[in-house]
Structures are given as structure tokens and as C-alpha cells.
Amino acid sequence: MTSDITLFVNPIAGRGRGARAARPALDALRDAGLSVRTVLGHDALRRAREAVADGTGALVAVGGDGMVSLALEVVAGTSVPLGIIAAGTGNDFARTLGLPVRDPAAAARVAAGILKDTGGRAVDLGRVTSGGTAATGTSAAGTATAEAGARWYATVLASGFDSRVNDRGNRMRLPAGRFKYDLAILAELAAFRPVPYRLTLDGGRIVEVDATLVAVGNGTSYGGGMRICADARTDDGLLDVTVVGDCDRTTLLKVFPRVYKGTHLDHPEVTTYRTRTLALDAPDTTGYADGEPLGPLPLAVECVPGALRVLAPDTPVPHR
């Protein structure tokens, strides 16, 4: 393990929390005896790629899930571990991994301790490509490469009502955190109608259903703790698919608040599947992953086991 690591900073994450988090994180990492190079600004992504190619001991992302999503494009499929200083709005990947949220010094100490002790642990990632045919297999970490146009994600791919909520929530400046998404839900309820979906599971089984939303989880939550795929594991080689059926507004208003505890999965309008690959299609529907827009469906999704090393406790998130 080299003691030279790279701090990858998004200064505008969480309305400026990223910039404020960088200093205490940097101090804690250096106090742990690590030599830290900080990259930020317009060429930060290029410099982060160069650091990984040069063999940096770890890439430590400071920001929210959007910054983690950017970091995945640099470290996924490599031996370089990812540390997370969660300083964004949602911080769902950090929550899933059991890492400190909005406590940069504590998060940095956790990352430094694990880097020195075990060097991190392997977790799965989702990989998305445009088009209607999912891959027929999965890849291990050492061989996982994102083909042209492919995108990695760590938490949840959202489509339907939740992607519309995400789009609206991202445009809202206030309030912060989960309350922003609560307001976005209410705003979207007025106009939304279920749409016809076609799901192809593991290249074979086809499910056609009118659905309010379909969420594809590598992790458990999105939107700052909404546990839409509450039973998802980041170490089982599978994606958890949550389908909320043709709900009227009254039913949706009853079901959605239960997402924060994960108890919505027991509702009769909710169906779940586990699959290695998924072809996802619906008209006039956009996909989001890790809170970032992917583009319109159809999308092909696969779980890539062990695609990422993370500086996180060796304690998988328990099922409900």
C-alpha cells in the first residue's frame, strides 16, 4: 500500500459543503501519515485519471453521489480503492456502505484506517448502456471495462415517476436534503400517469406491466435515504428490481412515505425481482442513476460483481 493518495474534490457539492469538507478531510488524512494530492477545478477529472494510471494508493472523493458517480468512471475495474467523504445532498452510497455522512474528519479517518489495514473491500456496480438488449453475462473486477457509451452506477437506477421527481428535485434550490424530494413528489403527482414497461430479466423472462416506476438497485436507496430497493446488497452479484404498479394518486401517497423504512416492498402494488441483467424499456421515460441523467429508455443494465474496491467497513447492509 502506497501512502500517496488523491483527494478528488467537488467544491460545489451540497451547496458548498464539498469545499468546506475538503480541509478537515485533508487534515485527517495527513494526520494519519498519508501524503495527499488534491485535484479540483475544471481539469480535475483528467488529473484524477492520471493519478489512477500512475498508481495512486486511493482516490478519495469529496462530495455527494454525483461526485461518486464521476469517480466510478475513473476507478471502476481497477485495483485503486475509492474512499468517500460524503458531503452532498443525498449521500446514498455512503449510507449504504455504513460510512459517516457530513462528518468529513470522521469519514477521512475511516478511509485512512481501512486503507492501512485491509486496503478496502470489493463491491458490485451496475453498468448501463443505451439500447434494448442487456448483456448476457457479468465480469469480474480485473476485467471490467466500460465499453463506449457505458456508465457505471453504485446506488439505484430510477425510471418513471421517481425519475421525474429526481428531475424536478435537481432543479429545486430549496429546501435541502430529503425534504426537497418530498416536495417534488407532491408536485409531480398532479400530472403523472403509469406507463407500459417491458422488462427482460437475464436475457429470457419478459415482464410487461403498466407501472408507476421501476427502480433497479445495486444499493438500497436514493434521494437521501429513500430505501426503494431496501433488500439490495452490494456483494451478491445481483440487481434488485422494484416495480410499483398501476397506482392511483391516493395509493401512491400511501405507499411512497413507506419508502424511507423500506416497508413499501410488502404492499400488494409492489413487485420485486432479482436479476444479473435487465433490458428496461418504456415510452417517453428517462433513466437516472446515482441522481445523474442517463438518457431515454430503452436501457440495458447489468451487475458487475466486484467491480469496485471501497474504503468502507466490512459489514454489508442487512436485509430488512
Side-chain angles (χ1 to χ4, degrees):
M1 187 276 294
T2 175
S3 62
D4 296 326
I5 67 170
T6 304
L7 199 63
F8 187 32
V9 182
N10 179 6
I12 63 172
R15 291 159 49 197
R17 283 191 297 268
R20 294 191 295 273
R23 173 49 61 183
L26 179 62
D27 290 344
L29 292 168
R30 286 177 172 165
D31 288 345
L34 298 172
S35 175
V36 185
R37 174 172 56 172
T38 301
V39 296
L40 74 166
H42 69 278
D43 64 343
L45 182 60
R46 175 186 61 80
R47 292 167 63 199
R49 290 188 189 279
E50 291 174 352
V52 170
D54 290 343
T56 186
L59 185 70
V60 180
V62 183
D65 288 320
M67 191 61 171
V68 170
S69 179
L70 200 59
L72 295 182
E73 302 304 320
V74 179
V75 297
T78 77
S79 60
V80 175
L82 176 67
I84 301 172
I85 311 298
T89 299
N91 304 308
D92 285 286
F93 195 38
R95 296 175 197 273
T96 294
L97 296 174
L99 293 170
V101 172
R102 296 184 185 171
D103 188 342
R109 287 192 292 269
V110 169
I114 293 172
L115 181 62
K116 290 182 172 183
D117 183 15
T118 65
R121 63 182 175 94
V123 296
D124 307 336
L125 291 177
R127 187 166 59 184
V128 189
T129 53
S130 298
T133 304
T136 56
T138 56
S139 305
T143 58
T145 57
E147 60 269 24
R151 292 272 297 274
W152 298 100
Y153 77 94
T155 57
V156 176
L157 187 158
S159 72
F161 178 72
D162 49 359
S163 64
R164 287 173 169 82
V165 168
N166 205 332
D167 189 29
R168 181 178 290 271
N170 286 343
R171 296 195 304 268
M172 296 169 63
R173 294 180 61 84
L174 294 172
R178 57 176 280 188
F179 300 108
K180 176 168 64 176
Y181 293 94
D182 292 341
L183 290 179
I185 288 168
L186 295 176
E188 287 296 326
L189 275 172
F192 185 77
R193 298 290 184 275
V195 296
Y197 276 85
R198 179 183 175 92
L199 315 178
T200 305
L201 308 173
D202 284 330
R205 181 183 179 185
I206 295 174
V207 177
E208 294 184 333
V209 59
D210 287 344
T212 301
L213 66 86
V214 175
V216 187
N218 177 63
T220 56
S221 70
Y222 58 11
M226 300 165 71
R227 303 185 71 230
I228 188 69
C229 299
D231 288 344
R233 297 280 293 266
T234 59
D235 60 357
D236 63 357
L238 297 172
L239 301 165
D240 276 40
V241 183
T242 299
V243 179
V244 179
D246 186 351
C247 293
D248 57 33
R249 295 174 194 168
T250 301
T251 301
L252 192 58
L253 278 170
K254 291 179 180 178
V255 172
F256 225 85
R258 295 169 58 177
V259 170
Y260 288 105
K261 293 185 177 180
T263 57
H264 64 292
L265 297 183
D266 300 325
H267 194 279
E269 290 290 349
V270 177
T271 306
T272 60
Y273 305 93
R274 283 201 172 101
T275 184
R276 292 176 296 110
T277 68
L278 175 70
L280 179 65
D281 196 8
D284 303 317
T285 302
T286 299
Y288 274 75
D290 293 340
E292 302 297 313
L294 296 170
L297 275 54
L299 295 171
V301 194
E302 65 172 320
C303 180
V304 182
L308 176 70
R309 292 195 66 78
V310 288
L311 301 178
D314 193 15
T315 51
V317 173
H319 287 194
R320 290 177 301 131

